[in-house]
Amino acid sequence: MNINTNFEVIIIGGSYAGLSAAMALGRSLRRVLIIDSNLPCNRQTPHSHNFITQDGKTPSEISQNAKSQVLAYRTVEFKQDLVIEGTKNDNLFMVNTKSGKKYTAKKLIFATGIKDIMPNIKGFSDCWGITVVHCPYCHGYEIRNKKTGIIANGERAFHLAPMIKNLTSDVTILTSGKVDFDNDQLAKLKENNVRIIDKEIVEIEHSNGYIKNVIFRDATKENFEATYAAIPFEQHSHIPEALGCNFTEQGYIEVDMMHKTNIEGVFACGDNTSRLRSVSNAVAAGNVTGAVVNMELAKEQF
């Protein structure tokens, strides 16, 4: 069995959080392996925003530049592969990849992100990240003053409504089913001229991801220029669960302020741990995680 034991840290996931953690570790002379399957969640998004110095660049431009800078540190390696299994024996972790490779390290960092679960609405996934978006901070300025829908219901829709209303006067909540607001919420929405349509959505009519109309079950349609959507997600990787990591009620990997999980030697950062889903937050979380992992290794060796 060919096992590569040259690494102190394995980072599973090589997007913004993983690369940021690797930079902190590389600058500390740590032997690091990044393993990434090259399927970032924002691969359809035309441009990234709200990240100072990088505003308006494409997601791939940011990640490619980051990767080139990180790999300038000679102790950091990058493999395009998919980790399919991870185990812990004593104080050493072993990961197996889809290509049949095995690697060991003293510390594991999961920067694996999350996978959005698309609703059964024709055209929805084609528009996701383009004109059907999740975050007013990442996308709101670009779709300001447009006729905007919120595909959500209940607390999630009510949470988004004030932020969207700040960006455009024409806001409609599309519950796609029975309305789930209390009387106070309904009064507040009415007071702010936020319409509610409860008809089931069956299709997003679009041109190359740019929304034209929302089509309902009763065959009626209404024009929108953009929509926000709150949709469920699942973890990209099953390995943290298999290792025994705890999860929050919302489905995120549970970590402390230092991005430590409940499993000694296992860390997590980025979208898999936080509702604050943005490039800038992923970079910040990765930077902290890399520093904490280096400190643990340094103390163990001192």
Side-chain angles (χ1 to χ4, degrees):
M1 182 168 59
N2 185 17
I3 303 175
N4 192 322
T5 60
N6 293 330
F7 304 103
E8 295 173 283
V9 184
I10 293 174
I11 301 174
I12 304 174
S15 192
Y16 311 107
L19 289 169
S20 182
M23 177 170 278
L25 288 160
R27 290 182 56 80
S28 299
L29 307 180
R30 296 300 175 188
R31 302 186 306 278
V32 179
L33 175 64
I34 308 165
I35 306 174
D36 182 70
S37 61
N38 196 32
L39 286 173
C41 65
N42 63 355
R43 56 190 177 273
Q44 272 192 186
T45 303
H47 299 94
S48 178
H49 293 283
N50 202 36
F51 181 11
I52 195 167
T53 76
Q54 307 298 312
D55 192 54
K57 292 186 178 180
T58 66
S60 62
E61 185 180 3
I62 297 171
S63 61
Q64 287 169 12
N65 188 34
K67 183 179 175 181
S68 69
Q69 292 179 357
V70 169
L71 294 183
Y73 295 94
R74 295 182 180 180
T75 58
V76 180
E77 293 186 33
F78 189 103
K79 301 289 185 185
Q80 185 170 323
D81 207 341
L82 177 67
V83 177
I84 58 174
E85 185 181 23
T87 56
K88 183 179 183 182
N89 296 304
D90 297 323
N91 293 318
L92 200 65
F93 295 94
M94 178 186 291
V95 300
N96 302 339
T97 71
K98 189 175 182 180
S99 69
K101 301 294 194 314
K102 298 179 185 293
Y103 305 95
T104 65
K106 296 178 181 178
K107 308 291 181 185
L108 276 186
I109 298 175
F110 286 96
T112 41
I114 56 176
K115 180 181 180 181
D116 298 301
I117 301 173
M118 300 293 162
N120 186 26
I121 297 173
K122 183 180 178 181
F124 186 101
S125 60
D126 297 320
C127 297
W128 185 239
I130 303 172
T131 53
V132 178
V133 299
H134 77 289
C135 172
Y137 298 104
C138 299
H139 306 283
Y141 184 84
E142 284 63 44
I143 56 176
R144 67 195 184 282
N145 300 324
K146 295 184 181 294
K147 185 176 180 182
T148 303
I150 300 174
I151 303 175
N153 203 351
E155 288 296 334
R156 187 59 180 151
F158 193 74
H159 168 76
L160 285 168
M163 292 181 285
I164 311 310
K165 184 68 176 180
N166 179 60
L167 294 163
T168 178
S169 61
D170 195 339
V171 181
T172 302
I173 293 176
L174 306 167
T175 62
S176 199
K178 184 179 179 181
V179 171
D180 185 23
F181 300 106
D182 62 33
N183 290 334
D184 290 340
Q185 290 172 330
L186 289 169
K188 181 62 73 172
L189 292 170
K190 183 177 181 180
E191 178 186 333
N192 284 277
N193 298 312
V194 176
R195 293 191 303 144
I196 301 174
I197 298 176
D198 62 3
K199 294 184 290 186
E200 183 183 355
I201 300 169
V202 295
E203 184 177 349
I204 305 292
E205 194 174 36
H206 67 96
S207 176
N208 296 319
Y210 289 87
I211 187 172
K212 292 182 175 180
N213 296 293
V214 173
I215 302 176
F216 301 99
R217 176 67 66 188
D218 63 3
T220 61
K221 66 170 64 175
E222 183 161 345
N223 168 257
F224 287 93
E225 297 173 277
T227 65
Y228 293 81
I231 61 176
F233 69 90
E234 61 186 7
Q235 290 285 332
H236 247 145
S237 175
H238 69 280
I239 299 170
E241 182 178 9
L243 286 171
C245 292
N246 291 336
F247 289 78
T248 69
E249 290 183 2
Q250 294 78 30
Y252 297 102
I253 302 172
E254 187 173 87
V255 294
D256 64 14
M257 291 183 65
M258 297 293 103
H259 296 276
K260 298 180 182 182
T261 71
N262 60 299
I263 303 299
E264 189 68 29
V266 178
F267 299 76
C269 55
D271 292 353
N272 59 8
T273 66
S274 173
R275 287 181 61 181
L276 299 176
R277 189 178 181 185
S278 69
V279 175
S280 55
N281 183 67
V283 170
N287 183 260
V288 171
T289 306
V292 172
V293 171
N294 175 64
M295 177 56 75
E296 284 207 355
L297 289 168
K299 286 183 175 179
E300 290 168 7
Q301 295 164 351
F302 188 71

